[in-house]
Amino acid sequence: MSYQSMNAVPTLKLSVLALALFQISSAYADVTIIDDHEHTTDTPHTELPTITVYADSTDKLANASMLGTATFSQSHMASKQLVSSDTATILTKVPSLNVQSAGGISSLPIIRGLADNRLRVLVDGVDSIASCPNSMNTPLSYIAPSSVAKTTVYAGVTPVSVGGNSIGGTIVVESAEPTFSEDSTIVTSGEIGAFYRSNGDGYGANIETTIANDTLSLSYQGSYAKSDNYKAGGDFKSYTATGNAGKNLPKNEVGSTAFTSKNQSLDIAYKNDHHLLQGTYLWQRVPEELYPNQRMDMLGNQLDRSNLRYTGDLNWGQLEAQAYHEDVDHYMNFGDDKQFLYGTAAGMPMYTNSKTIGTNLKATIDLNNKATLTVGAEYQDYSLDDLWPASGTMMMSPNEFQNINNGERKRLGVYSEWEKKIVPKWTTQLGARYENVRTSANEVSGYNAMMMTYQGRDSAIFNASDRSTTDDNIDVTAIARYDIDTRRSIELGATHKERTPSLYERYTWSSWPMAAIMNNTVGDGNGYFGDPSLTPEKSNILSMTFDWRGDDGSWGVKATPYYSHIDDYVDAVQWDSANNAVATTQTTNQYNVMRYTNQDAEIYGLDITADRDLVTNAWGYWGVSGSLSYTNGKNKDTGSHLYNIMPLNGSIALNHENNGWINQVEAVAVAAKSKVSTPRHEIETSGYGLLNLSTGYKWNTVSVEAGIDNVLDKNYALPLGGAYMGQGKTMSINGELDGNSNWGTAVAGAGRSFYMGVNYKF
């Protein structure tokens, strides 16, 4: 299907948009956080749905561990889910997790300084890959917050059963499990929710309905979200021009932040005794998602995914099997806030298509003496074409530009994981994983062979290179937990993890600045191209968690220091396109062409969480909770700091609950970002503090919430927001402001925003 005809696809029409109050229903989804063995407060003082935070390194250890589980009340996440339509953003309550800003539904999660392809993201078991030279269609963008039932975040030392081809961690997102009646009676249930946000005039709705008996369950889910550009807390730029005649943006408007998203899914499940067979079809259409830190915008993205899963509880343990197929069609060009005409060139159309086929098989075997053995195998076949049609009669003609031609990545992995409670106070887990990863790409050609653009030279060098690589990657993990008593524990973890570079890191080939700046997965304004000879990253991580709680459970403190050394870390060096060599002189205060290269790096830091019950009186329960996170990363070869490392940050919240009423006052503080990547000329940002308020009430079937984010309308720059490319002549490197560079302008955070929502269950 062509992108021009995407509007012909039947669109999701939800009558609940007429509601006067709005809310994303997933504010009541459970979120499991496993951050090298997370632990939280005691049982909440209301019967609201909760966020479960296990105090262990894996799901199985969480269930087998003698240290009990604990819960956060839903109020800890509700405001995040109401103020954002981005699933990644709602996870930032985890101290070790931040997001790299992108489009309104496509932020990239960062775990301890590592993002994008360095993380494994599983959505209902599907191992998706961003099929875009700017990582616009991230895996988490394919599931709306209202569809999330449970999320597990594995930070640092990751079990091999959920690892593979990643060095930073794993995020496992699950939609709701199918529901059945207790007998042959047919039952129905459903949920409708909607929300509104003042900043950006954002609104949306969701619906879910199920009909089932004791063996068959049929469910439908749909969601819609739309927003205009948001406003910063003040003027963050000195210019208003967009490059398009008759259109300007106010100095406080963050250009290219508008989006529209539509999601639908149909799920059918069959249950027979201890066997469950489930099939899901997911359909997503994003007709527009603009990007404030990219030179291009996403003007069409369509996903079609089929997912078949089986789970069986057998007399020896549990067996799981899965097969999935995914098609992605992706289209980029310049949105309304960016200059569209360049001489005779009407924009710069860019098309990406990918197909993914995957299978998973996993067996968890119950052994004697409180031990389990998990074995599994996975296979994934991913193919990618990234092609740019000719535009105009000048440099982007007469041929098609083949950015990646028939790129392929095939992964075959097997793993084994053993865990056992050796003695009452000690629990251990050992695991090993092997993966065979093969990547390849066909020969390429550019728009033309003009000498001034280096397309002929670069394509000839690329075509003559060895473009087929086989990597044999090994993951090994060891975890040991010692429970001093029921309130105190120490956990140690060590792991070795390996990751094969992505197709975009290996097979993008043009050093021509105008082509290179269209390949940028990090949003820093620079241009990038790859190297077919890149070798896999190899990370060695050490981590320790100290978990202390008061004897009465009224307070708790947990600290997790960690250290990671990464051999062959894929970083980038400034490139001299004219001489086709590493630049001998490092330019500053401008954007440059960069080439991916292997270097060594280290990352270390500390995550702290704490909570304290204050008082329970006639006004209800009162308590405080807070977190503090510090991460530092350095390139060992150059001495530069690594790109996109979040500075010291923390939060503290006063929480109040009284029957069905919940309230929160939250303060967030972020230090100045002065440790930046030197080769990339990453922008430094100032420190800031934010104040957020939220309130809500829940009846039996109806819940209503409201709040104010950034109450004081603070004007601040996002430390991980990248370079502002929301408007202007973005195709021109260092000529974005009609011949002048806009370097030095960071993407601003959102100013004050009022939000409210309603949710009804039936």
Side-chain angles (χ1 to χ4, degrees):
M1 176 181 294
S2 69
Y3 293 94
Q4 289 82 356
S5 65
M6 281 186 65
N7 290 332
V9 178
T11 59
L12 177 65
K13 297 180 179 179
L14 299 175
S15 61
V16 293
L17 285 173
L19 293 173
L21 300 174
F22 303 88
Q23 181 194 34
I24 296 180
S25 67
S26 70
Y28 302 105
D30 286 345
V31 175
T32 305
I33 302 169
I34 299 178
D35 174 15
D36 283 355
H37 342 309
E38 285 289 330
H39 183 77
T40 60
T41 62
D42 284 346
T43 303
H45 299 259
T46 73
E47 295 181 358
L48 288 172
T50 58
I51 298 162
T52 304
V53 183
Y54 292 108
D56 303 281
S57 61
T58 73
D59 273 333
K60 292 176 293 176
L61 281 178
N63 295 328
S65 170
M66 290 172 292
L67 187 63
T69 64
T71 59
F72 277 138
S73 74
Q74 164 271 338
S75 61
H76 286 268
M77 291 289 286
S79 62
K80 280 290 183 183
Q81 293 171 319
L82 281 175
V83 301
S84 176
S85 297
D86 178 32
T87 299
T89 298
I90 70 174
L91 302 179
T92 54
K93 288 294 182 181
V94 184
S96 58
L97 192 147
N98 303 104
V99 293
Q100 176 182 306
S101 299
I105 62 169
S106 301
S107 294
L108 280 74
I110 300 176
I111 296 179
R112 295 174 179 170
L114 300 172
D116 203 8
N117 294 293
R118 294 187 171 103
L119 306 181
R120 189 179 189 193
V121 179
L122 297 170
V123 178
D124 287 332
V126 176
D127 195 351
S128 286
I129 301 169
S131 299
C132 168
N134 300 299
S135 287
M136 289 181 172
N137 43 21
T138 57
L140 287 179
S141 69
Y142 291 136
I143 184 167
S146 58
S147 297
V148 176
K150 181 181 178 182
T151 299
T152 308
V153 178
Y154 297 88
V157 179
T158 305
V160 298
S161 57
V162 293
N165 206 52
S166 60
I167 63 171
T170 301
I171 300 174
V172 179
V173 177
E174 301 173 38
S175 55
E177 295 183 359
T179 58
F180 300 88
S181 64
E182 295 183 359
D183 51 37
S184 59
T185 303
I186 295 177
V187 297
T188 60
S189 63
E191 189 170 345
I192 298 175
F195 67 87
Y196 176 77
R197 309 180 192 118
S198 65
N199 195 341
D201 193 26
Y203 61 91
N206 62 272
I207 184 171
E208 183 273 330
T209 183
T210 298
I211 181 170
N213 59 20
D214 57 337
T215 60
L216 194 64
S217 177
L218 181 64
S219 297
Y220 167 82
Q221 285 189 335
S223 65
Y224 177 88
K226 181 178 177 62
S227 178
D228 294 330
N229 292 340
Y230 69 76
K231 304 292 195 305
D235 295 345
F236 72 98
K237 57 190 175 182
S238 60
Y239 50 92
T240 62
T242 64
N244 296 315
K247 181 171 184 180
N248 295 300
L249 297 181
K251 295 178 181 179
N252 70 334
E253 182 172 336
V254 183
S256 301
T257 53
F259 66 89
T260 302
S261 175
K262 309 171 186 179
N263 297 274
Q264 295 188 81
S265 67
L266 186 65
D267 184 278
I268 184 169
Y270 172 75
K271 183 180 71 170
N272 183 8
D273 292 330
H274 300 293
H275 304 274
L276 176 65
L277 183 64
Q278 183 178 8
T280 304
Y281 172 69
L282 176 66
W283 177 98
Q284 185 195 69
R285 301 296 184 264
V286 180
E288 177 187 67
E289 187 180 10
L290 309 184
Y291 283 74
N293 61 356
Q294 294 289 354
R295 296 174 182 272
M296 304 294 293
D297 294 310
M298 189 168 78
L299 301 184
N301 194 84
Q302 55 190 57
L303 166 78
D304 292 276
R305 176 190 295 164
S306 301
N307 189 12
L308 183 64
R309 291 182 288 173
Y310 164 80
T311 302
D313 291 322
L314 308 176
N315 55 10
W316 49 264
Q318 187 176 75
L319 179 65
E320 301 174 46
Q322 178 179 25
Y324 59 88
H325 180 273
E326 181 179 275
D327 283 335
V328 176
D329 286 313
H330 177 69
Y331 169 56
M332 292 193 301
N333 213 321
F334 305 112
D336 292 340
D337 296 341
K338 296 169 183 172
Q339 182 169 321
F340 185 74
L341 291 174
Y342 290 81
T344 60
M348 186 177 183
M350 303 169 66
Y351 293 90
T352 305
N353 172 265
S354 72
K355 297 183 183 299
T356 306
I357 298 173
T359 59
N360 301 322
L361 185 64
K362 176 182 176 181
T364 302
I365 305 168
D366 296 326
L367 305 176
N368 295 328
N369 301 320
K370 297 181 180 181
T372 61
L373 176 66
T374 301
V375 294
E378 301 173 355
Y379 176 75
Q380 185 185 70
D381 189 333
Y382 172 75
S383 62
L384 173 76
D385 283 298
D386 192 333
L387 308 174
W388 309 349
S391 181
T393 59
M394 301 295 288
M395 288 186 293
M396 293 192 298
S397 66
N399 303 315
E400 179 180 67
F401 188 100
Q402 298 174 319
N403 194 40
I404 293 182
N405 183 22
N406 192 30
E408 290 193 355
R409 191 186 77 168
K410 300 178 186 293
R411 285 178 53 211
L412 175 63
V414 293
Y415 61 86
S416 177
E417 191 171 84
W418 173 84
E419 62 182 59
K420 178 179 173 60
K421 186 176 291 185
I422 299 177
V423 294
K425 289 183 178 291
W426 279 100
T427 305
T428 61
Q429 183 191 87
L430 301 174
R433 184 185 188 100
Y434 165 76
E435 289 206 343
N436 178 274
V437 185
R438 300 182 181 185
T439 67
S440 63
N442 288 356
E443 294 185 356
V444 296
S445 59
Y447 292 119
N448 53 62
M450 295 174 61
M451 290 297 295
M452 62 183 296
T453 64
Y454 320 118
Q455 294 178 68
R457 178 200 68 188
D458 292 348
S459 61
I461 294 173
F462 179 84
N463 293 338
S465 66
D466 183 0
R467 303 181 310 280
S468 180
T469 303
T470 299
D471 300 322
D472 296 303
N473 297 337
I474 299 293
D475 287 9
V476 180
T477 294
I479 299 171
R481 177 192 189 88
Y482 178 67
D483 294 325
I484 300 172
D485 52 38
T486 59
R487 294 291 181 179
R488 297 177 297 167
S489 67
I490 299 175
E491 203 156 349
L492 305 173
T495 188
H496 173 85
K497 302 169 68 65
E498 298 182 0
R499 178 191 77 95
T500 290
S502 70
L503 297 184
Y504 283 104
E505 290 169 325
R506 271 184 171 164
Y507 299 128
T508 49
W509 54 273
S510 179
S511 67
W512 175 34
M514 198 175 76
I517 58 176
M518 304 303 166
N519 289 290
N520 184 315
T521 62
V522 294
D524 64 356
N526 295 305
Y528 289 82
F529 73 107
D531 185 347
S533 65
L534 287 177
T535 59
E537 296 178 325
K538 305 169 188 65
S539 176
N540 296 293
I541 306 172
L542 294 174
S543 181
M544 178 180 294
T545 293
F546 302 90
D547 195 343
W548 260 251
R549 299 203 62 79
D551 291 337
D552 59 357
S554 63
W555 63 269
V557 176
K558 180 164 43 124
T560 303
Y562 56 89
Y563 176 83
S564 174
H565 180 87
I566 307 171
D567 292 321
D568 297 318
Y569 178 85
V570 178
D571 212 327
V573 294
Q574 287 190 20
W575 197 257
D576 181 349
S577 298
N579 294 308
N580 200 33
V582 177
T584 57
T585 302
Q586 300 292 295
T587 59
T588 59
N589 300 334
Q590 68 173 46
Y591 305 114
N592 298 284
V593 173
M594 315 286 294
R595 189 178 195 185
Y596 293 116
T597 189
N598 287 120
Q599 296 174 327
D600 293 342
E602 66 176 4
I603 299 175
Y604 56 90
L606 174 68
D607 295 324
I608 301 175
T609 59
D611 60 85
R612 172 76 185 187
D613 296 341
L614 296 179
V615 66
T616 300
N617 54 29
W619 294 92
Y621 162 78
W622 301 82
V624 294
S625 59
S627 65
L628 187 70
S629 181
Y630 171 77
T631 305
N632 195 5
K634 297 198 73 173
N635 185 308
K636 300 293 289 182
D637 290 348
T638 66
S640 168
H641 293 281
L642 298 183
Y643 178 75
N644 242 358
I645 299 292
M646 185 70 176
L648 177 69
N649 64 96
S651 67
I652 186 169
L654 174 64
N655 306 304
H656 170 247
E657 304 175 18
N658 188 10
N659 295 321
W661 190 29
I662 56 174
N663 302 280
Q664 185 180 83
V665 179
E666 180 189 45
V668 178
V670 179
K673 183 176 177 63
S674 58
K675 297 178 179 179
V676 295
S677 171
T678 302
R680 289 177 165 90
H681 300 306
E682 185 180 4
I683 301 171
E684 296 185 4
T685 59
S686 300
Y688 61 90
L690 303 176
L691 178 65
N692 305 316
L693 306 176
S694 64
T695 185
Y697 194 85
K698 183 176 185 291
W699 293 270
N700 288 334
T701 58
V702 178
S703 59
V704 177
E705 294 187 56
I708 309 174
D709 237 21
N710 193 359
V711 174
L712 304 178
D713 204 22
K714 177 72 175 179
N715 187 15
Y716 65 100
L718 294 167
L720 306 182
Y724 180 64
M725 291 288 166
Q727 63 192 92
K729 194 176 182 180
T730 57
M731 187 191 290
S732 177
I733 186 170
N734 297 312
E736 297 82 9
L737 301 180
D738 197 19
N740 297 313
S741 176
N742 72 348
W743 185 91
T745 304
V747 176
R752 183 187 298 118
S753 182
F754 299 86
Y755 59 89
M756 59 191 309
V758 65
N759 194 74
Y760 170 63
K761 294 184 178 181
F762 57 90

